[in-house]
Amino acid sequence: MMLIGSLAFGQLSSTGVSPSGVLDGVYIQQHIPTKKVVSYASLREADVMWSKRIWRTIDVQQKLNFPLFYPEAPLTDRMALWDVIKYGIETEGSLTPYEIIGDGKYDFDGEFLYPLLPPNGNTKDEVYRESLDAIFYSTSEVEKIGDDGEPVFDLEGDPEMIKSKKAVTADQIVKYLVKEDWFFDKQRSVMDVRIIGICPVIKQFDENGDLKEGVKPLFWLYFPECRYVFQNYFVYNRQNDAQRMSFDDLFWKRMFASFIHKESNVYDRDVKIYEQNGIKALLQSEKIKNEMLLIEHDLWHL
């Protein structure tokens, strides 16, 4: 029976079965890898009495967010959120990244303007693969090393430089940006929230591969599409290894720490634009959060 189980679930992700076919545990973990997405509650425009669009920043270095950041390298039964996203785009092809820059314009707020799609569904298209490489790999110039282990010099005596490609790894992710809609559903009499998009942000490196100041958003993902991938990957449970949840469960249950960096406003600008001081920006973020709580309590008086 164990052999049959290994054959049946060995190819699924996060089952606890190693690539060599060895069961790393006492049972095959098949609940999360075969779990189906829980559908959202039905919602009509007429049922929404109030809504507000919010943009959040999830800092993966905060302790509560460690399950999104670790492990730095994939394990038999779990991996970091970045590795799940990379697998969904590069290997499965089930996720569509939306580029930040397109037609000379920027899409920092996740309006899903510039989808990166393979032409005619051909995932092996050379231009498409180069576009993916630009996302998942950083390039830098390094000295060319000869067969003798020594640098190679040109005719003018300068060292020859070649381009080196290095994969973006989970430990380079510093935060995730989340775009979400908060709304009050009068049909169910609840304040609810639905995530619309998510964007990984990495450290910046110069052309020599050295770390430089600032961060760089990579691309946006349409979260309802991500749910079908996130649902089948384990998230670490600090209390009980036998009761793990999926990444979709983590976002559904709001088990992450974050702060608001933007709300929908007439100027279409971030909190930090009109609150330059870091502490003031955080206080403004808390103010927005408290105002939303008051809206929920006082909604029937509007």
Side-chain angles (χ1 to χ4, degrees), residues 230-246:
F230 292 176
Q231 185 73 321
N232 299 125
Y233 288 87
F234 284 110
V235 171
Y236 182 72
N237 187 334
R238 292 181 174 89
Q239 283 73 39
N240 188 350
D241 282 348
Q243 296 295 326
R244 290 186 179 175
M245 59 183 177
S246 68

Side-chain angles (χ1 to χ4, degrees), residues 83-268:
D83 292 313
V84 174
I85 290 173
K86 186 176 180 180
Y87 179 81
I89 296 175
E90 270 197 319
T91 306
E92 278 192 349
S94 55
L95 298 181
T96 300
Y98 291 83
E99 295 182 286
I100 302 294
I101 304 175
D103 299 330
K105 299 179 181 179
Y106 293 89
D107 179 23
F108 290 117
D109 290 338
E111 296 183 6
F112 312 110
L113 301 177
Y114 313 113
L116 181 55
L117 297 169
N120 301 318
N122 180 18
T123 56
K124 295 182 179 180
D125 180 78
E126 185 175 344
V127 176
Y128 173 71
R129 299 308 303 184
E130 288 179 357
S131 299
L132 286 184
D133 285 350
I135 291 176
F136 292 112
Y137 297 89
S138 59
T139 57
S140 60
E141 289 191 349
V142 297
E143 291 184 355
K144 183 178 180 180
I145 304 299
D147 296 335
D148 56 355
E150 297 295 328
V152 177
F153 295 89
D154 57 21
L155 297 177
E156 297 179 357
D158 298 323
E160 290 190 16
M161 307 298 289
I162 58 173
K163 284 189 176 182
S164 174
K165 188 170 71 170
K166 185 178 180 181
V168 175
T169 53
D171 63 317
Q172 295 177 15
I173 305 296
V174 293
K175 62 182 72 173
Y176 288 95
L177 307 181
V178 172
K179 172 184 174 182
E180 59 190 18
D181 280 346
W182 285 81
F183 59 91
F184 189 89
D185 183 357
K186 70 177 183 180
Q187 186 69 26
R188 296 182 293 139
S189 297
V190 295
M191 178 75 88
D192 206 349
V193 58
R194 293 186 186 174
I195 298 176
I196 309 300
I198 186 169
C199 170
V201 179
I202 65 168
K203 303 173 184 177
Q204 285 207 90
F205 297 88
D206 59 23
E207 59 182 11
N208 297 321
D210 298 324
L211 184 67
K212 64 180 183 179
E213 187 177 355
V215 293
K216 174 185 175 183
L218 286 178
F219 51 81
W220 280 93
L221 293 170
Y222 185 54
F223 192 80
E225 181 182 62
C226 294
R227 294 188 65 208
Y228 292 93
V229 177
F230 292 176
Q231 185 73 321
N232 299 125
Y233 288 87
F234 284 110
V235 171
Y236 182 72
N237 187 334
R238 292 181 174 89
Q239 283 73 39
N240 188 350
D241 282 348
Q243 296 295 326
R244 290 186 179 175
M245 59 183 177
S246 68
F247 281 101
D248 185 55
D249 294 331
L250 181 144
F251 286 106
W252 184 291
K253 298 176 181 179
R254 312 289 295 179
M255 297 180 68
F256 56 85
S258 65
F259 63 89
I260 297 172
H261 68 263
K262 183 179 180 180
E263 66 171 334
S264 54
N265 61 87
V266 66
Y267 306 106
D268 191 36

